């Protein structure tokens, strides 16, 4: 299913190579460091950029073309979360709370995986649907809410539940992605043109720096893999494939271009490691953060980045 | 304590809380509600029993310092223990220090 | 006086929208944050960029075209400070010290307001006079000195006065704006060309990020508005209009293009919230910082950004 | 204090000053003039009676720690009180701590 | 110490090490080997007998705080003295503080 | 030997002017500051960019054209370190340890001096050899190892020696320069094109900001010059000339273009102040850091930046 040319094109991209450099630097105990403020600045920049780009695209798309994909995305996100939960309970045998916490991450989406997928897809298939960013925003939240509900439904926590939901909806990821989307859509393509040099032209370069940093973070997480047990590692490798292939299939059924369907699949395959961890830590404090952080950032993200994305593209090519 | 004490040093309690970054705003809200006259917040990193960095956006831990009367410090410590000790990365320690303008830290 | 098209063009610009997003994020108690180091980095970048651009313009302008506008600016800045002081004493009924402190801010100038005005003016009227940056530098300092003098003339503080003046003249705003101006003028247009991609092309994008941050800062300041009293709030809304319209008139009289006159007016209308607060805090410590910070950053800046600037442009159009 | 004290711990005074960022260089200049052997400076944030951020460029507060003899600490505290207590955001507290190489902190 | 002590405050030792940034990882490795239950690390600047900034990339000093039993603190202090006092910028001080869950800091 | 036009072209460049602004700001005790996180971010960016650019060049150069220059560079670096050591022992009369420590810095290389030289050389002579970055990487390490060996050979420190070597090889300078070189070479020109806007187009602008910062750092170092003694100051001014002119001669002998030979010479003339200080501080803790930091950053760097580089270019022009 995985075509060799896609794999090479992906593995030799500066983005993936920078991630590998980060992995290596940390394994060698290098004193290389990305200052925390630079990390935050890059996150902020990338999320706002994605929002802007999506907003400009949405401003040009007739609104009614958005409704069906968005609804399908939300339904798909909820289904993915429930499926992951059942697998985690039955096959991986996690506790209710831990299963709910991890499921929230795998139902949600990683913005960087989205970007990496869009990047390869555009290089291979040409431009993809601009509304993908709106879909990114729509996919992020529902899974977190479902995960919190799964974990809290048996406990006292009505109030805590609402607090967590409020926090997710006003969290920085939503503010930047959603806020950027609105700004882009309101200002429109012409007025946004003056910020293009920073937010669009530099995007790929900043991404390289960000992935260097993520490589170092992932290497630190990888140390905890042993504690997690082989069932859990298998989950973190298999679920992206299942979610991803089903996502590509759904994307194709929704009528996306092959590139669009591949990116759609990659989003389903990805696990959140920015919005979900913070929300789950507050809403389900009893869950073990080692589990979800190691899985999302230490295993699934590198897997998708290196191998997953080319697979979803291959599948999309086959299905189209 | 200073031997001469011409400056009128007075003894109050200094409570230091080290907690994961995610708890920051919550803890500060507790402090406001418990009527402390102020607090100082410092970014920090650390390793402990949990030693996880969840809030990867904003960095690892915060160290919060509060000068208050012994009672208030005890009330804060009790609240932290009740709310956060079980599931979160958090430690606290307290000590006696000398301040000028002691009343400043003993708001009713 | 305010034309509708200008207002819309302004309110829909990404700059203003980013400011609004910042306001909203803070009101919703979002955990969105701009790291302090990023804030400083952006301030540094923007001030140095403005300096560079101005220096290049000045290098191309015959020196004698600068003399009259600069002298008029200094005179105008002193007059504006004294006028604000009288209003604050008589009508707002502030103490001598507080009136002097606030007057220093309103006689001085906000670099970001200048940029936002230049931005809209260039879009509407085309390129404006390059020497406006030299005028920005000339307008910044005198008001602060006058304010310090007004506040300290009855007290012991001869030495303190000189210390404050020294600090204003060697402060970072002066170093970056003035230093950048010199570098731009000495290096000249050709040699500066190689730094154009960073300092000129990216300028608008960085401004969007900076205004997101300022929106969050302004929202925090707005909380203190209630303490200030209605007279003071009225002052913070009315004085920019008075200063601004008189500034546009003076700019027109000096023979500036309509765009230049509008930007000139916007500078007079604006209140400093970087250079002045630091200088006043050290030179007039008895003054209440809540007053001047809330007024300058919480009220006058948003007012100018949203409504003031289109008004000054409308006035300039009418006068031309 | 350590029971055995084989390491020769000696008691000196630790003064901590928390002040608004704007005062930083001024306070350090005072410390230099008052002959301390060193100081440590940490960026911090805080809320207190004033709780204003004026120096919006460089962040909010600084926490300055000084190890010195009790006399020197008293002289510094007196100076801070005289110069800054009235109009600026500033607090200070002092405590006894044990150090190695105690002479280091008792420069004439 | 709190008068009532209903919270069961227990006394442990707080060791603070201020050292040049370059020593950071080395010192933390020592601490891990000496079996402390955790530590807190804060970026700082400072001036002292040496007062040099060598590691110009990562900033000047770090302040490392360790809660541990008096014995362990003495062992750490001895190690630091042996290894770093002669040639590096480093100071340390120790004090008694009260903690909750005292056992946490007395790992064997 | 020094031609006037080169000196002017150099001194009026924004890079040098920004350095001077930094010097002035610190001498005036201005509160201007570059946040530490911004300093680290810029170092990281510049080193990675240099690596990328070099990697792309190396990818296009036949491998066998690299062998001779690299070997000559390594030999030259070792010779320069030994020469500096002998001068420091005999003429400057430093102790073994201090002489070894300082020699390690002068045998190694400063990346910023390299960039500044490349910058002027390209403006004067047109494009220079792309493999210069590979040479930069090759010149960095050997001197440090030789210096550590010179300083430690009489002491116990076998283990310490190996630890230091390990640290140099996995240090951040190597990771970024060397890692960037590999990424650039593996990804190749076409794939790197998408990161060009950030890493190549913005390079000169970031350099201006970095030099502003270095100017402030150098001014702080200059305060210690008095302690160093006149012999040492003379060394820090003379050795770059000797190393630089010999380097230009060697570069010409290796068949480089005049621009390439000048840059080659500037590398030999420069003293490391990022990689070497950290390595020497750990490996030779007994050495006095004031000596090597003051010399490398406070004296030799400004000297090369202002006067040295135009001299090496003049020599290269004369030799060609
Ligand atoms: N023994 C200790 N000494 C100093 N700081 C500690 C210690 N144990 C924990 N900490 C700090 O408290 C945070 C939370 O600790 P924990 O709850 O044990 O994970 C850690 O990240 C450290 O910053
Ligand atoms: N009770 C307190 N406990 C700890 N820190 C305080 C306290 N009160 C004030 N501070 C710190 O001292 C700074 C100045 O306080 P103030 O002069 O009261 O505004 C605040 O910003 C805080 O960082
Ligand atoms: N008297 C002191 N009070 C507080 N901190 C100090 C003192 N002396 C030194 N330090 C801190 O310890 C670091 C190393 O000191 P030194 O080894 O004396 O250079 C300095 O950079 C300061 O951060
Ligand atoms: Na997913
Ligand atoms: Na004004
Ligand atoms: Na060299």
């Amino acid at each position: 299913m995985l075509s060799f040319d896609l794999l090479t094109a992906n593995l030799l991209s500066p983005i993936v190579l920078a991630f590998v450099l980060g992995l290596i630097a940390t394994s060698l105990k290098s004193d290389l460091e990305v200052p925390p403020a630079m990390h935050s600045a890059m996150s902020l920049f990338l999320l706002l950029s994605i929002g802007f780009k999506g907003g400009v695209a949405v401003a040009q798309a007739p609104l009614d073309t958005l409704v069906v994909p968005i609804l399908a995305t939300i339904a798909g996100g909820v289904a993915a979360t429930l499926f992951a939960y059942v697998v985690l309970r039955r096959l991986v045998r996690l506790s209710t709370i831990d299963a709910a916490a991890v499921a929230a991450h795998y139902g949600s989406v990683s913005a960087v995986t989205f970007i990496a997928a869009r990047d390869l897809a555009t290089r291979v298939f040409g431009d993809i649907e601009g509304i993908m960013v709106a879909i990114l925003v729509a996919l992020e939240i529902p899974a977190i809410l479902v995960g919190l509900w799964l974990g809290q439904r048996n406990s006292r926590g009505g109030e805590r539940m609402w607090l967590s939901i409020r926090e997710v909806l006003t969290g920085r990821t939503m503010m930047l992605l959603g806020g950027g989307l609105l700004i882009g859509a309101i200002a429109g393509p012409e007025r946004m043109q003056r910020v293009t040099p920073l937010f669009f032209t530099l995007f790929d370069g900043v991404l390289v720096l960000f992935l260097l940093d993520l490589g170092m973070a992932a290497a630190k997480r990888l140390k905890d893999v042993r504690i997690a047990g082989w069932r859990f590692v298998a989950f973190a490798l298999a679920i992206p494939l299942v979610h991803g292939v089903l996502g590509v299939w759904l994307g194709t059924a929704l009528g996306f271009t092959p590139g669009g369907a591949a990116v759609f699949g990659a989003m389903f395959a990805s696990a959140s490691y920015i919005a979900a961890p913070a929300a789950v830590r507050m809403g389900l404090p009893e869950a073990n953060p080692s589990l979800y952080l190691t899985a999302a950032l230490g295993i699934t993200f590198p897997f998708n980045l290196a191998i997953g994305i080319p697979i979803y593209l291959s599948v999309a090519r086959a299905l189209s | 304590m200073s031997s001469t004490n011409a400056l009128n040093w007075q003894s109050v309690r200094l409570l230091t809380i080290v907690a994961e970054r995610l708890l920051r705003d919550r803890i500060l809200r507790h402090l406001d509600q418990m009527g402390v006259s102020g607090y100082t917040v410092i970014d920090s990193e650390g390793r402990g029993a949990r030693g996880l960095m969840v809030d990867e956006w904003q960095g690892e831990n915060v160290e919060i310092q509060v000068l208050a009367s012994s009672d208030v410090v005890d009330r804060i410590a009790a609240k932290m223990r009740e709310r956060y000790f079980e599931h979160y990365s958090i430690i606290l320690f307290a000590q006696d220090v000398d301040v000028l303008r002691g009343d400043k830290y003993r708001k009713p």
Side-chain angles (χ1 to χ4, degrees), chain A, chain B:
Chain A
M1 205 65 183
L2 168 57
S3 86
F4 186 70
D5 61 315
L6 286 176
L7 186 62
T8 330
N10 189 51
L11 291 181
L12 297 185
S13 76
I15 293 174
V16 174
L17 294 172
F19 184 80
V20 173
L21 180 59
L23 281 178
I24 293 175
T26 297
S27 327
L28 293 178
K29 296 204 172 119
S30 168
D31 60 351
L32 181 60
E33 256 186 10
V34 171
M38 183 178 171
H39 178 85
S40 311
M42 292 191 298
S43 306
L44 195 159
F45 171 84
L46 292 173
L47 290 173
L48 199 60
S49 294
I50 301 174
F52 282 171
K53 202 162 200 168
V56 170
V58 164
Q60 294 166 307
L63 249 181
D64 56 324
T65 61
L66 282 173
V67 179
V68 173
I70 296 280
L71 290 180
T73 301
I74 294 176
V78 172
T81 314
L82 295 171
F83 175 70
Y85 178 76
V86 172
V87 174
L88 286 159
R89 287 290 289 148
R90 298 281 155 84
L91 303 182
V92 187
R93 303 212 186 115
L94 294 188
S95 70
T96 321
I97 296 278
D98 280 336
V102 175
H105 289 72
Y106 281 85
S108 184
V109 57
S110 140
V112 180
T113 309
F114 162 73
I115 300 167
R118 190 181 62 181
D119 183 64
L120 191 67
T122 349
R123 275 191 286 148
V124 173
F125 295 114
D127 269 2
I128 65 161
E129 286 84 352
I131 62 159
M132 282 298 150
V133 175
I135 287 173
L136 174 72
V137 175
L139 190 53
E140 176 139 47
I141 306 295
I144 301 180
L145 303 184
V146 173
L148 293 179
W149 172 78
L150 286 170
Q152 294 185 350
R153 87 210 124 115
N154 301 323
S155 68
R156 46 198 160 123
E159 189 213 7
R160 212 173 55 178
M161 176 90 184
W162 282 114
L163 271 177
S164 317
I165 292 178
R166 204 189 164 288
E167 263 172 24
V168 179
L169 292 177
T170 63
R172 53 195 163 226
T173 323
M174 270 313 282
M175 284 294 132
L176 293 170
L177 271 183
L181 199 72
L182 280 178
I183 291 181
I186 295 176
E190 201 194 335
R191 280 194 206 85
M192 291 304 287
Q193 205 161 330
R194 286 163 36 245
V195 304
T196 300
L198 179 64
F199 289 105
F200 300 171
T201 316
L202 294 190
F203 192 90
D204 287 338
V206 174
L207 196 59
V208 164
L209 288 175
F210 195 70
L211 277 158
L212 176 67
D213 192 14
L214 274 188
M216 298 194 273
K220 276 174 210 147
R221 285 286 157 215
L222 269 176
K223 285 178 201 151
D224 290 346
V225 163
R226 248 168 279 164
I227 314 163
W230 72 265
R231 282 169 181 278
F232 190 62
V233 174
F235 168 86
L237 291 170
I239 203 86
L241 284 175
V242 177
H243 279 179
V245 172
L246 289 175
V248 175
W249 171 82
L250 178 57
T252 313
L254 285 169
F256 292 147
T257 60
V263 172
F264 193 75
M267 285 198 251
F268 275 92
S270 72
S272 163
Y273 48 83
I274 298 187
V280 166
R281 186 86 185 103
M282 291 314 314
L284 299 174
E286 307 86 350
N288 180 356
S290 272
L291 283 177
Y292 49 80
L293 287 173
T294 303
L297 184 54
I299 307 176
T300 300
F301 175 67
F303 172 78
N304 276 328
L305 187 70
I307 308 173
I309 291 173
I311 294 183
Y312 314 135
L313 263 92
S314 306
V315 174
R317 187 144 72 184
L319 286 185
S320 76
Chain B
M1 197 172 291
S2 165
S3 47
T4 54
N5 206 357
L7 279 167
N8 192 20
W9 291 105
Q10 296 176 18
S11 181
V12 303
R13 201 104 168 118
L14 168 66
L15 174 69
T16 304
I17 305 171
V18 183
E20 53 187 290
R21 183 61 161 81
L22 207 62
L23 296 180
R24 185 195 137 112
D25 290 347
R26 251 156 253 249
I27 294 176
L28 298 185
R29 236 171 287 142
H30 287 303
L31 295 181
D32 282 336
Q33 282 159 13
M34 302 180 92
V36 305
S37 64
Y39 44 74
T40 299
V41 184
I42 297 173
D43 287 331
S44 66
E45 283 173 272
R47 199 179 64 66
R50 300 172 185 269
L52 302 152
M53 182 167 118
V54 174
D55 193 346
E56 67 127 351
W57 177 295
Q58 292 165 313
E60 224 168 310
N61 289 337
V62 280
E63 177 163 326
I64 302 173
Q65 299 167 343
V66 193
L67 292 164
S69 65
S70 181
D71 292 1
V72 172
V73 163
D74 279 11
R75 283 212 327 266
I76 299 170
K79 174 70 92 183
M80 296 296 116
R81 185 174 60 178
E82 178 207 326
R83 288 286 178 96
Y84 303 119
F85 272 27
E86 197 181 351
H87 297 302
Y88 294 99
S89 279
I90 181 169
I91 63 163
L92 46 79
F93 53 88
Q95 61 203 118
D96 292 325
V97 299
D98 301 324
V99 296
L100 301 182
R101 303 184 288 184
D103 309 337
K104 214 174 131 94
Y105 311 100
R106 289 193 208 90
K107 277 201 187 158

